[in-house]
Amino acid sequence: MNVTGRIAEVRKLTDDARASGSRVGFVPTMGALHEGHRSLVRRARAETGFVVVSVFVNPAQFDQAADLDAYPRTIDDDLEVCAAEGADLVFHPDPEEIYPRPPLTQVRVSGLTDRMEGAFRPGHFDGVTLVVTKLFNIVGACAAYFGQKDAQQLRVVRRMAADLDMPVEVVACPTVRDADGLALSSRNARLDSADRERALALVRAFAELRRLFETGQRSGPALQRAGLAVLEDCGVDKVDYLEVVHPETLEPLPSIEDAALVCGAVHVGGVRLIDNTTIGSPEEE
Ligand code: AMP
């Protein structure tokens, strides 16, 4: 496995791989790799001939300096994970390699970024779309693997790639969860055992919404109210949002015809957690 912090090296190795007939698979991450990330690398390994993993904590997508500072950085462990999953190349640049000067260029996906994460984390998606554009330009034509865990991000990146004719196929991968349902996240390491229990609030709210849907409830606002009540019962510190939206447009649904995406963000013990589920059709994709 090659490890580099240099853009030029990534370009060369991925160009060589394509020239020799391989499809390139790309897994962008911020590191602190867990089983969720592993599942992306494994899928890339199974579907492509040359697997690139990037490990870069992107300052541009953090709206809170404290969150950026607290973000776990575990590159030695991450390299072991990448090697164990058969990655060919890990790109681990310094911030100066990616941002040698303050960028004057913005990449903004409108509409899809207006609500939910976009509303509660000002500038977050501009940071995501900027860095993902740069990474796609560095890695070149590829299949890029993204987790359904970040459902809004997945749709924003997919739309950006389509709108800008990027030579990238965005592949959605299912959310990997602990046995009790908690979605794996690098931030979970910051939860103590009492908070870990409260962190199940979103999973419990989703279960209640699914139950109500199965008993015939189709009203988006009614389902939203029921979900918010569960979050309150579970004693989360703060709810940013719980939304019942159209799975593609991400617009709130007054009533559900086929399927809905339910997305939520809560704060527990100083940690911000997000999760989502699909109701009305099989989860994921
Ligand atoms: P991050 O390192 O948080 O930027 O995540 C990198 C990629 O891993 C993103 O595409 C995430 O959606 C994905 N990811 C994070 N957590 C999970 C999970 N529990 N299951 C599946 N994919 C995940």
Side-chain angles (χ1 to χ4, degrees):
M1 184 176 81
N2 268 296
V3 181
T4 184
R6 295 276 164 227
I7 291 171
E9 182 76 0
V10 178
R11 281 199 212 286
K12 184 188 172 317
L13 292 171
T14 50
D15 282 346
D16 288 352
R18 279 182 294 264
S20 67
S22 287
R23 189 168 192 231
V24 172
F26 176 40
V27 182
T29 82
M30 297 203 299
L33 302 183
H34 50 63
E35 200 53 43
H37 301 106
R38 271 182 192 265
S39 73
L40 271 50
V41 180
R42 222 173 280 145
R43 174 107 175 249
R45 178 73 285 164
E47 296 182 355
T48 66
F50 187 84
V51 175
V52 185
V53 180
S54 64
V55 175
F56 179 61
V57 182
N58 174 34
Q61 72 188 70
F62 283 81
D63 50 317
Q64 305 281 336
D67 191 25
L68 173 62
D69 291 344
Y71 205 85
R73 288 161 173 87
T74 60
I75 187 63
D76 293 340
D77 293 347
D78 295 345
L79 293 177
E80 275 182 31
V81 168
C82 292
E85 296 300 342
D88 297 293
L89 172 62
V90 176
F91 179 41
H92 178 53
D94 288 335
E96 297 71 38
E97 180 77 359
I98 299 294
Y99 300 113
R101 60 204 160 263
L104 298 178
T105 304
Q106 291 194 338
V107 184
R108 174 165 298 163
V109 177
S110 60
L112 290 176
T113 59
D114 288 349
R115 311 179 61 83
M116 304 195 290
E117 291 302 285
F120 281 88
R121 302 185 68 189
H124 168 69
F125 280 121
D126 288 348
V128 170
T129 47
L130 179 64
V131 82
V132 172
T133 298
K134 287 163 78 72
L135 291 169
F136 284 178
N137 281 332
I138 293 165
V139 172
C142 63
Y145 295 81
F146 285 81
Q148 175 69 26
K149 160 83 169 33
D150 298 279
Q152 190 174 12
Q153 168 176 281
L154 167 64
R155 284 153 181 83
V156 167
V157 168
R158 183 175 269 166
R159 182 59 184 254
M160 173 187 82
D163 284 353
L164 298 181
D165 301 301
M166 293 176 171
V168 177
E169 182 199 350
V170 175
V171 181
C173 303
T175 302
V176 177
R177 298 176 181 281
D178 272 338
D180 59 6
L182 185 69
L184 298 191
S185 163
S186 309
R187 292 187 171 88
N188 293 356
R190 284 155 51 196
L191 295 166
D192 67 25
S193 59
D195 292 339
R196 173 72 182 64
E197 178 63 23
R198 289 193 297 151
L200 288 172
L202 283 168
V203 170
R204 296 198 167 122
F206 296 158
E208 174 65 1
L209 262 64
R210 203 168 297 112
R211 189 187 70 75
L212 290 169
F213 182 84
E214 276 157 19
T215 62
Q217 180 58 267
R218 292 292 180 273
S219 158
L223 289 166
Q224 182 187 35
R225 278 194 299 277
L228 287 169
V230 174
L231 296 181
E232 195 173 321
D233 282 352
C234 291
V236 299
D237 297 327
K238 183 165 167 266
V239 179
D240 276 354
Y241 61 84
L242 182 84
E243 299 248 29
V244 179
V245 300
H246 187 283
E248 294 309 319
T249 66
L250 304 182
E251 289 295 323
L253 284 176
S255 77
I256 302 172
E257 297 200 347
D258 303 316
L261 180 68
V262 184
C263 300
V266 298
H267 295 255
V268 173
V271 181
R272 186 172 184 277
L273 300 164
I274 66 169
D275 197 358
N276 65 88
T277 192
T278 305
I279 56 176
S281 72
E283 203 184 345
E284 320 295 331
E285 260 299 55

